[in-house]
Amino acid sequence: MNELVVKKKLTIFLLLFNIILIFSQETLIKDQDNWFYYDKGYLENDWAEIINLSKWQKGLTPIGYGDKKLTTIISYGGNKKKKHITKYFKKNIVINDDFVAYEFRLKRDDGAVVYINGKELFRDNMPNITIGKTTLASSTTKGAEEKKYFQHFFENNIFKRGLNTISISIHQAYEYSSDCIFSLELIGHKNPEILSFVIENKDKTNNELSNKIKILNSKLEFDKISIQKDNLESTNYNLKIIVLLIIVLFIIAIFGYYFTLLNFKKINKEKNKKIASLSAKNNNRDKKIIVLTTNLLHNKQYFKEIKADIKGLKTEDKKTVKNIVNQIDNVLEKDEDWKTLTQHFNALHNNFYDKLIEKHPSITETELRHCMFIKLHLQTKEIARIFMIDPRSVQTARYRIKKKLNLNEDENLRDYLLNFD
C-alpha cells in the first residue's frame, strides 16, 4: 500500500513539474521568425559588431539552400563547386523580462558560431581556433542531424536589459557542400529548476575546454621535449640522460595525476553512499516516531476511558481516586506528543505544516492537526478517538477546513491534502 502511494505521489510530482516548466517559459524567438541575412560574399572579422544592416536582406527561417523544407532561399555564390564557406545572420531582440536562464535551440548545417552584442557566446561543430570568414566546420551534417535542434543553456547575464543583437555565422564543411540550413529558437525560462541544465551545459563546456587544454599542454610538452632532444643529440651523453629523466618525470606525473583522480572519485562515491544511507535512516526514524507518537495519542483516549471508569468506582478512599484522576489529567493535558508528531511529520513531508499555513494563514492549529491525520491516511473513527470527539464532529471540522482552503463542492479534501506539497 505504501509503495502504491509513493508511486502515485511521484507520478503526480513529475506531472506537476512538467506543467510548471511549460508555463514558466517564454519563446522569445521561434522558427519562422524574420532574420537579416547577408549572402553576397565574405565580411570582415568584425562583422558581428556591425549595426548598419542596409545592405542585408530579410527572410523567414529556416533559411539556406539545397533543402526542400527551407522557407527562405539564399545565394551560395556563382560557382557550385566553390560555394561561399560562410553565411551571416542577424536579429535584434528586446529583453525586458527577468528570466533565470536562456535556452538556444540551434538548427545548423554544417557548423555555427553565435555572438551576443558582438561577443562570441558559443560555437557548435566548429574547430577550436580563431574563426575567420573561410573557417570550415569540423564535420559534415548528415541525415537526421539536418533536422535536429542542438540545445545550449546559459545564465541570464548573457543579455543586457533592452535592445540586444544576436549574430550567427553558418559555416560549411567544404566548398562544394550541397546544402546550407539555419534556424534558431530562443526560450526564456523563469523556473529555477532549469539552472540544472545551465550547470550541466557549463560542466560540459568546462570539460571540453579542460580536455583541449590537456591536449595542447601535452602537445606543447611533447614539442618541447622533441626540440630539446634534437638539440641535445649534438651535445654529450650527460645532457641526453637529463632529457630522459625529464620525460620519465613527466610520465610519472601523468600517472600520478591519473591515480589521484581515480582515488578522489572513489572517495567521493563512498561519501555520497554514506550520505544517502544516513538520509534513508533519518527518514525511517521519522516514520517510526510518527507511528509511535500517533499510538501515544490513541493511548490518551484510553486514559480518558480509564479516568471515566475510575470516577465510577464506589470506594470510600476518594482521596486516592482523586489523585489517580489528577495524574491522568496531567498526562492528557501535556502537549509534547503533538509537538513531537508535528516536528517529525514536517521533516518527513517536506515542511507540510509550514507550507499549508503559508498558503492558508487563517487555518487553526486544530485544523492543521486534522489535515495532518488525513495525509497520514487515518480514518474518521481514528481521528475522532485521538481528538476525543464524536465522528460527526470530525465531518463538520472537515467541512470548515474545506471552506478555509477555498475548495469547491466537487473537490475532495483528502485528494487535495495528499497531493499538497
Side-chain angles (χ1 to χ4, degrees):
M1 180 64 182
N2 289 334
E3 290 182 359
L4 291 174
V5 172
V6 171
K7 289 181 179 178
K8 181 179 178 183
K9 289 182 178 179
L10 182 59
T11 302
I12 294 171
F13 173 78
L14 292 174
L15 179 61
L16 290 174
F17 175 77
N18 288 329
I19 293 173
I20 291 171
L21 196 61
I22 291 171
F23 285 99
S24 62
Q25 67 183 37
E26 180 181 350
T27 302
L28 305 174
I29 298 176
K30 62 181 184 301
D31 194 19
Q32 295 288 319
D33 263 5
N34 269 308
W35 282 77
F36 288 98
Y37 65 90
Y38 188 89
D39 62 349
K40 296 182 177 15
Y42 296 116
L43 296 173
E44 296 303 321
N45 291 340
D46 62 347
W47 72 272
E49 301 173 13
I50 294 175
I51 299 175
N52 183 8
L53 302 176
S54 60
K55 295 182 180 180
W56 292 52
Q57 301 181 71
K58 203 170 186 180
L60 298 174
T61 56
I63 303 174
Y65 59 79
D67 194 293
K68 295 180 180 180
K69 295 182 180 180
L70 294 169
T71 305
T72 304
I73 306 299
I74 62 176
S75 172
Y76 53 73
N79 189 343
K80 288 185 178 181
K81 295 183 179 180
K82 196 173 182 179
K83 298 173 183 175
H84 296 152
I85 297 298
T86 307
K87 300 295 181 293
Y88 307 92
F89 304 88
K90 276 182 177 287
K91 186 174 184 63
N92 292 323
I93 181 172
V94 176
I95 303 292
N96 287 325
D97 273 332
D98 293 322
F99 298 103
V100 298
Y102 294 95
E103 174 186 354
F104 288 80
R105 301 182 73 247
L106 174 66
K107 182 186 287 186
R108 47 70 179 165
D109 185 353
D110 297 306
V113 183
V114 178
Y115 304 85
I116 303 297
N117 298 322
K119 295 182 179 180
E120 181 180 334
L121 179 63
F122 70 93
R123 56 182 70 180
D124 200 324
N125 195 30
M126 293 296 292
N128 186 35
I129 60 175
T130 301
I131 302 297
K133 53 191 175 185
T134 57
T135 303
L136 296 172
S138 298
S139 60
T140 305
T141 302
K142 296 180 180 179
E145 281 194 347
E146 292 183 343
K147 302 176 182 179
K148 181 179 178 181
Y149 281 90
F150 296 87
Q151 292 176 291
H152 298 268
F153 296 86
F154 296 93
E155 294 175 300
N156 58 2
N157 59 0
I158 63 172
F159 290 110
K160 63 183 179 181
R161 185 170 288 276
L163 184 65
N164 293 265
T165 301
I166 301 176
S167 306
I168 299 174
S169 59
I170 298 295
H171 299 252
Q172 302 307 111
Y174 43 82
E175 291 181 328
Y176 51 93
S177 176
S178 61
D179 57 0
C180 171
I181 303 171
F182 162 71
S183 185
L184 180 112
E185 292 181 354
L186 175 62
I187 301 171
H189 291 275
K190 292 185 177 180
N191 189 339
E193 297 289 340
I194 202 67
L195 291 176
S196 61
F197 293 97
V198 176
I199 294 171
E200 183 179 344
N201 189 66
K202 276 191 171 182
D203 289 342
K204 181 180 178 182
T205 303
N206 290 338
N207 288 335
E208 290 175 353
L209 290 173
S210 179
N211 290 334
K212 289 175 182 177
I213 290 171
K214 287 178 183 178
I215 293 172
L216 289 174
N217 285 337
S218 297
K219 186 176 182 302
L220 180 62
E221 292 296 331
F222 179 80
D223 290 342
K224 286 181 179 179
I225 293 171
S226 297
I227 293 171
Q228 289 176 355
K229 182 180 177 182
D230 292 339
N231 293 332
L232 291 172
E233 282 179 351
S234 61
T235 61
N236 56 43
Y237 177 78
N238 291 332
L239 291 177
K240 291 181 180 179
I241 296 297
I242 294 173
V243 172
L244 181 62
L245 289 174
I246 291 174
I247 295 173
V248 170
L249 289 174
F250 178 71
I251 294 173
I252 291 173
I254 292 176
F255 276 101
Y257 174 78
Y258 174 74
F259 286 114
T260 301
L261 186 62
L262 285 180
N263 187 50
F264 174 77
K265 288 183 177 179
K266 182 180 178 181
I267 293 172
N268 195 43
K269 187 176 180 181
E270 292 176 353
K271 182 180 179 181
N272 290 335
K273 283 184 179 179
K274 288 181 181 179
I275 292 173
S277 175
L278 290 173
S279 179
K281 287 180 180 179
N282 284 336
N283 285 339
N284 290 333
R285 183 199 64 183
D286 288 332
K287 288 179 181 178
K288 289 179 181 179
I289 292 176
I290 287 175
V291 172
L292 292 173
T293 310
T294 305
N295 291 337
L296 286 174
L297 294 173
H298 275 293
N299 291 338
K300 282 193 174 183
Q301 174 59 22
Y302 295 134
F303 271 109
K304 185 178 179 183
E305 294 172 0
I306 293 170
K307 173 184 173 182
D309 292 340
I310 291 174
K311 283 186 175 181
L313 291 175
K314 293 181 178 180
T315 177
E316 294 181 356
D317 193 359
K318 294 183 178 181
K319 184 176 180 181
T320 301
V321 171
K322 185 177 180 181
N323 287 336
I324 294 173
V325 169
N326 288 337
Q327 291 176 8
I328 293 174
D329 286 337
N330 288 333
V331 173
L332 295 175
E333 289 172 2
K334 288 182 179 179
D335 209 32
E336 283 80 3
D337 295 336
W338 285 109
K339 292 179 181 178
T340 302
L341 179 59
T342 301
Q343 179 183 355
H344 290 281
F345 181 84
N346 245 350
L348 190 61
H349 290 275
N350 197 20
N351 292 324
F352 174 85
Y353 252 53
D354 299 335
K355 290 182 178 179
L356 195 61
I357 293 173
E358 182 179 355
K359 189 170 183 180
H360 306 287
S362 62
I363 196 167
T364 65
E365 179 65 27
T366 302
E367 290 167 342
L368 280 169
R369 293 173 181 177
H370 270 276
C371 294
M372 176 179 65
F373 287 131
I374 291 173
K375 196 170 180 70
L376 287 173
H377 299 279
L378 268 65
Q379 300 300 317
T380 302
K381 289 183 179 180
E382 294 177 293
I383 297 174
R385 176 173 289 274
I386 292 173
F387 281 109
M388 307 174 190
I389 58 176
D390 189 84
R392 288 173 296 179
S393 299
V394 175
Q395 297 295 338
T396 303
R398 287 184 178 179
Y399 178 76
R400 289 197 303 270
I401 294 170
K402 191 173 179 180
K403 290 187 68 177
K404 284 194 176 183
L405 299 184
N406 298 320
L407 300 181
N408 298 326
E409 290 294 332
D410 56 344
E411 290 185 275
N412 187 280
L413 176 61
R414 180 179 291 274
D415 291 342
Y416 176 80
L417 293 175
L418 290 178
N419 297 327
F420 184 86
D421 198 349

